[in-house]
Each structure stands twice: as C-alpha cells, then as structure tokens.
Amino acid sequence: MKKTKSDTTGSKRRETLENKTGSLFENLWPQYDEVLFKESVELFYKRLADWKIPGDFFKNKKCLDAGCGGGRNSIAMASLGASEVQGIDLGDQGLKDAARRAKGLGITQANFQKASVLDIPFEDNYFDCIWFAGVLMITDDPDKALDELTRVLKPGGSFYLLVYANGGMRWPLIEILRKLAHDIGLSAVEEAIARGNLPANKRRTFLDDLFCPALDFYSWERMEKMLEVRGFEKIRRMPRDKWDHEASLEEFEKDLASFQKIFSSGVEYNIAPVNLFRHGKNLCQAVIDTVADTAREEKQGLISHEQAMERIAGQGHHRVWAVKGNK
C-alpha cells in the first residue's frame, strides 16, 4: 500500500521525537554512580514489598522492560529469578551502560537492544510479564504503544505501567517551567544543575520533566479505559508511593525545593538569561509556599489529609497492575 503524505509526515514526526528523546536520556543514566544505581534497584524491591507482591513473582518468567533506560528494573527482575529479561530503549549510551552494569553484577539473562515501544521486535504472546514505567506519556502514539505491548504479552500475563496523573500543583508548574526552560536552553540549565550540585538522579528527573519532547497526563478514568478496551482484567491502581515526593506534603515540598535549586543557581551564578532563571525561581517559591500553607491548614484541622493531598498532589502517579485476558 502506497504511503500517503499524512503517513509520511507522521513517520517523520515520530522519528524526530524518538531521536530527541533518545538523545536526552541516553547520557543521563551513566551519570549514576554505583551507590545511586544500587539504591534505584533496591527501590524496585521496596515497592514490591509495599504492594505485597512476593519476591518470587518473577521466577522463571520471560520479562520485557519497555523503555529500560539504564537497566535498573531489568536488573532487578533478573536478580529475582526471571529466566529472561529483554530491555528495549532508544538511547544507545543508556543501553551500553545497562549492559555494563548487568555484566558487572554477574547477571547473564538480561539483554538490551535499541528499539521503540511502537515497534517491539518480538513475536506475539512472547512475554509473561511487562514492566512499562514512565514511558507511555512521552510516546508519539500511546495507543499504538499499548497495542504493541498487548500483542507481545501472553494471555494471563502481568502488565505494570506508570504514568503521570492529572491534578495537583506540580505538573501545572512543570508545564510553565518547560516553556521557560526551552527559552533558557539545555546547556544553561545543565550548568545551573552542576552549579547547584544536584545528584545524578535529580538531574535525570528534572531534565526529563523540563526537556522531554512530548509529555502527557492521564486521568484514572482514561487510563483504566485504555486497558479495558485491550482486554486487560484485574486492573488495580496501587496506593500513593511511599518512596518519592508523593509520600507526604513534606516530601513534596523537599522535591520542589530541589527543583527550585536549578533556577536559584541560575540567579546566584548569573547564568544567562538570568531574568528567566529568576522567573522560574519565583514560580517555584509560590508553589512551595502553597504547600507549606496547606500543611499548616491540615495540622490545624482546617482540612483533612485527603483534601490536602488532593490539592497539592492531585491523583498522583498512576502505578497500575493488570492481567491480559484470555480472549
């Protein structure tokens, strides 16, 4: 079938977006030192325990880590007994770093290759489990990504995904800061991060938030429907995470203070364009002040904990477990 002009335009847009995404992320993961990387793997174990998922859940399973980044989740699944783990991602350097770390840990059943979640290089019904964390909302075509992931997952197979949710104050702030960051420029933001001595994990998170080419947000209703129409069952949303900024208003405030440090450093060290760094600093401060005021209202009994968290965190991240149906 001959490609239409629309098909060609869509294909070029996807290629451009994936190239930009891969280029942004591939050099962020190798910045993790051994301590930070170990902590990121251990975070996988902590979340499983919190969700009451047994440690032998992955034993003898074929697993896909779709958008594997630096391989931390691939390595965690392999260390928990998976018979095969395939990590796919768009970033060459991140994939090389993942392979290096797996080899250094003596993990032989984890493999890493460059591939898009929109065109997964495995046959139908191949995997017992798919891990898909923090990727759907940055793809060019989320429906095609879910179609592909559903295709390669066995009936009865388990599917985990993480997406950013609607509501709260962090993401509306990020949306505004993304516009400022675009005008400031990546090199100037990276200089501010270096001047602020932010650790590699914060550098990765914040550059992701500010410069990832595509970024979408999901209501729970939208996310649930997207899984239901693809035949997924036993869909459950895990509780608010204990291990990141969603844990409490205090942790939320700390996270925003770290984010603000980028813009504060730009002002302190007079990095051009300093006026845009100043705007970013002030925007962060306004939300930080709101978080602090909300925490005081909760402490005084003026609002409930649920109301406070809804105001500040909204629905939070959607961390979802589901099972592919047999139909």
Side-chain angles (χ1 to χ4, degrees), residues 4-5 28 42 117 129 150 155 168 205 208 256-257 267 293 309 313 322 326:
T4 66
K5 184 176 180 180
L28 299 180
E42 290 175 346
V117 296
C129 179
T150 304
T205 300
D208 174 2
L256 287 176
V267 175
D293 287 344
M309 291 300 291
N326 291 310

mmCIF file of all heavy atoms in Angstrom, residues 4-5 28 42 117 129 150 155 168 205 208 256-257 267 293 309 313 322 326:
data_model
loop_
_atom_site.group_PDB
_atom_site.id
_atom_site.type_symbol
_atom_site.label_atom_id
_atom_site.label_comp_id
_atom_site.label_asym_id
_atom_site.label_seq_id
_atom_site.Cartn_x
_atom_site.Cartn_y
_atom_site.Cartn_z
ATOM 1 N N THR A 4 0.624 7.620 2.244
ATOM 2 C CA THR A 4 0.067 8.936 1.985
ATOM 3 C C THR A 4 0.992 9.993 2.563
ATOM 4 O O THR A 4 1.910 9.703 3.339
ATOM 5 C CB THR A 4 -1.318 9.082 2.618
ATOM 6 O OG1 THR A 4 -1.180 9.040 4.047
ATOM 7 C CG2 THR A 4 -2.254 7.972 2.164
ATOM 8 N N LYS A 5 0.731 11.249 2.190
ATOM 9 C CA LYS A 5 1.507 12.359 2.728
ATOM 10 C C LYS A 5 1.366 12.431 4.233
ATOM 11 O O LYS A 5 2.323 12.710 4.960
ATOM 12 C CB LYS A 5 1.040 13.670 2.095
ATOM 13 C CG LYS A 5 1.865 14.881 2.515
ATOM 14 C CD LYS A 5 1.411 16.127 1.784
ATOM 15 C CE LYS A 5 2.248 17.334 2.213
ATOM 16 N NZ LYS A 5 1.815 18.567 1.509
ATOM 17 N N LEU A 28 21.972 10.479 30.567
ATOM 18 C CA LEU A 28 21.587 10.741 31.956
ATOM 19 C C LEU A 28 21.842 9.532 32.857
ATOM 20 O O LEU A 28 22.290 9.674 33.998
ATOM 21 C CB LEU A 28 20.113 11.145 32.020
ATOM 22 C CG LEU A 28 19.726 12.412 31.244
ATOM 23 C CD1 LEU A 28 18.232 12.697 31.400
ATOM 24 C CD2 LEU A 28 20.547 13.605 31.712
ATOM 25 N N GLU A 42 17.210 -1.198 44.517
ATOM 26 C CA GLU A 42 16.583 -1.554 45.788
ATOM 27 C C GLU A 42 15.190 -0.935 45.921
ATOM 28 O O GLU A 42 14.313 -1.493 46.593
ATOM 29 C CB GLU A 42 17.480 -1.126 46.950
ATOM 30 C CG GLU A 42 18.743 -1.974 47.052
ATOM 31 C CD GLU A 42 19.695 -1.486 48.128
ATOM 32 O OE1 GLU A 42 19.504 -0.341 48.621
ATOM 33 O OE2 GLU A 42 20.630 -2.237 48.466
ATOM 34 N N VAL A 117 8.972 1.283 21.578
ATOM 35 C CA VAL A 117 7.778 0.592 22.077
ATOM 36 C C VAL A 117 6.657 0.629 21.048
ATOM 37 O O VAL A 117 5.638 -0.048 21.222
ATOM 38 C CB VAL A 117 7.282 1.203 23.410
ATOM 39 C CG1 VAL A 117 8.319 1.012 24.500
ATOM 40 C CG2 VAL A 117 6.913 2.673 23.251
ATOM 41 N N CYS A 129 5.576 -11.233 31.549
ATOM 42 C CA CYS A 129 5.428 -10.009 32.340
ATOM 43 C C CYS A 129 6.065 -8.837 31.590
ATOM 44 O O CYS A 129 7.136 -8.996 30.990
ATOM 45 C CB CYS A 129 6.095 -10.185 33.709
ATOM 46 S SG CYS A 129 5.996 -8.729 34.782
ATOM 47 N N THR A 150 0.443 -5.093 24.334
ATOM 48 C CA THR A 150 -0.581 -6.132 24.477
ATOM 49 C C THR A 150 -0.270 -7.305 23.557
ATOM 50 O O THR A 150 -0.433 -8.479 23.939
ATOM 51 C CB THR A 150 -1.972 -5.556 24.149
ATOM 52 O OG1 THR A 150 -2.230 -4.421 24.983
ATOM 53 C CG2 THR A 150 -3.058 -6.596 24.371
ATOM 54 N N PRO A 155 -1.488 -14.191 27.014
ATOM 55 C CA PRO A 155 -2.749 -14.188 27.773
ATOM 56 C C PRO A 155 -2.490 -14.676 29.199
ATOM 57 O O PRO A 155 -1.764 -15.658 29.415
ATOM 58 C CB PRO A 155 -3.622 -15.197 27.000
ATOM 59 C CG PRO A 155 -3.072 -15.165 25.605
ATOM 60 C CD PRO A 155 -1.589 -14.974 25.769
ATOM 61 N N GLY A 168 -3.407 18.384 41.014
ATOM 62 C CA GLY A 168 -2.327 18.842 41.864
ATOM 63 C C GLY A 168 -1.633 20.077 41.303
ATOM 64 O O GLY A 168 -2.113 20.714 40.366
ATOM 65 N N THR A 205 15.762 13.243 36.580
ATOM 66 C CA THR A 205 14.339 13.518 36.747
ATOM 67 C C THR A 205 13.971 14.905 36.248
ATOM 68 O O THR A 205 12.994 15.079 35.513
ATOM 69 C CB THR A 205 13.945 13.375 38.226
ATOM 70 O OG1 THR A 205 14.227 12.037 38.668
ATOM 71 C CG2 THR A 205 12.457 13.653 38.426
ATOM 72 N N ASP A 208 14.374 15.402 32.462
ATOM 73 C CA ASP A 208 13.234 14.691 31.871
ATOM 74 C C ASP A 208 11.998 15.583 31.909
ATOM 75 O O ASP A 208 11.350 15.836 30.881
ATOM 76 C CB ASP A 208 13.009 13.398 32.666
ATOM 77 C CG ASP A 208 11.756 12.639 32.241
ATOM 78 O OD1 ASP A 208 11.055 13.077 31.309
ATOM 79 O OD2 ASP A 208 11.479 11.596 32.855
ATOM 80 N N LEU A 256 10.160 20.019 45.471
ATOM 81 C CA LEU A 256 10.063 21.316 44.798
ATOM 82 C C LEU A 256 11.246 22.216 45.137
ATOM 83 O O LEU A 256 11.713 22.992 44.294
ATOM 84 C CB LEU A 256 8.757 22.000 45.183
ATOM 85 C CG LEU A 256 7.480 21.405 44.572
ATOM 86 C CD1 LEU A 256 6.256 22.113 45.119
ATOM 87 C CD2 LEU A 256 7.507 21.494 43.057
ATOM 88 N N ALA A 257 11.735 22.108 46.367
ATOM 89 C CA ALA A 257 12.905 22.903 46.758
ATOM 90 C C ALA A 257 14.129 22.481 45.943
ATOM 91 O O ALA A 257 14.942 23.327 45.538
ATOM 92 C CB ALA A 257 13.178 22.748 48.246
ATOM 93 N N VAL A 267 20.284 32.172 39.025
ATOM 94 C CA VAL A 267 20.306 33.558 39.519
ATOM 95 C C VAL A 267 21.601 33.835 40.269
ATOM 96 O O VAL A 267 22.286 34.846 40.027
ATOM 97 C CB VAL A 267 19.087 33.813 40.435
ATOM 98 C CG1 VAL A 267 19.182 35.217 41.052
ATOM 99 C CG2 VAL A 267 17.780 33.656 39.658
ATOM 100 N N ASP A 293 1.642 26.273 53.381
ATOM 101 C CA ASP A 293 0.375 26.777 53.934
ATOM 102 C C ASP A 293 -0.644 25.654 54.050
ATOM 103 O O ASP A 293 -1.394 25.565 55.037
ATOM 104 C CB ASP A 293 -0.187 27.893 53.052
ATOM 105 C CG ASP A 293 0.609 29.187 53.180
ATOM 106 O OD1 ASP A 293 1.377 29.312 54.159
ATOM 107 O OD2 ASP A 293 0.467 30.070 52.306
ATOM 108 N N MET A 309 -3.761 16.482 50.279
ATOM 109 C CA MET A 309 -3.035 15.768 49.236
ATOM 110 C C MET A 309 -3.675 15.964 47.870
ATOM 111 O O MET A 309 -2.981 16.082 46.853
ATOM 112 C CB MET A 309 -2.956 14.283 49.579
ATOM 113 C CG MET A 309 -2.066 13.963 50.780
ATOM 114 S SD MET A 309 -0.338 14.487 50.571
ATOM 115 C CE MET A 309 0.220 13.340 49.306
ATOM 116 N N ALA A 313 -1.083 17.201 45.417
ATOM 117 C CA ALA A 313 -0.585 16.091 44.584
ATOM 118 C C ALA A 313 -1.575 15.631 43.531
ATOM 119 O O ALA A 313 -1.200 14.882 42.627
ATOM 120 C CB ALA A 313 -0.191 14.918 45.477
ATOM 121 N N ALA A 322 -2.102 -4.978 35.957
ATOM 122 C CA ALA A 322 -3.235 -5.549 35.224
ATOM 123 C C ALA A 322 -2.815 -6.905 34.639
ATOM 124 O O ALA A 322 -1.625 -7.215 34.540
ATOM 125 C CB ALA A 322 -3.685 -4.604 34.113
ATOM 126 N N ASN A 326 -7.791 -13.680 28.441
ATOM 127 C CA ASN A 326 -7.569 -14.824 27.542
ATOM 128 C C ASN A 326 -8.321 -14.714 26.232
ATOM 129 O O ASN A 326 -8.174 -15.571 25.352
ATOM 130 C CB ASN A 326 -7.980 -16.122 28.253
ATOM 131 C CG ASN A 326 -7.035 -16.459 29.385
ATOM 132 O OD1 ASN A 326 -5.822 -16.467 29.212
ATOM 133 N ND2 ASN A 326 -7.587 -16.737 30.566
#
